[in-house]
Amino acid sequence: MDSYECTATLEWWADRSTCLGRLGVRVTVRVTADYWTCDAVLEPPLSAEDRESFDFLMKLDPLFTLRLDEGSSLPVDVVAAEDDGRLILTASRAQPTETPGSRQLLP
């Protein structure tokens, strides 16, 4: 398998009980040799107000939970790609005990 596509939800958690944002995404994972890349596109595209909220959360901390439709989840760092609307997702380097929104990046 060289690629995989699915729908998922990006969630931004302020603490263990408060989710401040849930966004639908279409995720694409591509494998080349020993490497993989993952990107996502917001579905549906965000309104101006929702985009402002999303940008605010990204500035606070780009750590999101990627919740796949089959029930699994993974902490991911999200980076907005240039102007094409794509989001680049990478597996998070956060410590499992850290509270989202307050972590320190590992060296």
Side-chain angles (χ1 to χ4, degrees):
M1 173 172 60
D2 295 330
S3 66
Y4 173 75
E5 283 192 34
C6 67
T7 57
T9 304
L10 279 176
E11 300 175 345
W12 196 95
W13 290 85
D15 56 40
R16 295 194 187 282
S17 62
T18 308
C19 181
L20 294 181
R22 281 191 176 92
L23 304 161
V25 291
R26 169 147 299 280
V27 176
T28 304
V29 179
R30 293 175 187 83
V31 178
T32 307
D34 294 334
Y35 300 98
W36 62 271
T37 60
C38 183
D39 61 53
V41 176
L42 295 166
E43 287 188 350
L46 299 178
S47 67
E49 183 178 329
D50 290 339
R51 184 64 196 204
E52 187 176 316
S53 297
F54 175 70
D55 291 344
F56 176 74
L57 293 176
M58 290 279 292
K59 286 179 186 173
L60 286 176
D61 191 344
L63 175 63
F64 285 75
T65 298
L66 178 66
R67 192 165 310 281
L68 301 174
D69 287 344
E70 89 276 348
S72 63
S73 65
L74 172 72
V76 294
D77 289 311
V78 178
V79 175
E82 296 300 316
D83 293 328
D84 64 1
R86 280 183 315 115
L87 303 172
I88 299 168
L89 310 180
T90 57
S92 175
R93 297 180 62 200
Q95 295 295 325
T97 57
E98 291 178 290
T99 302
S102 65
R103 71 178 170 145
Q104 298 294 316
L105 292 177
L106 298 176

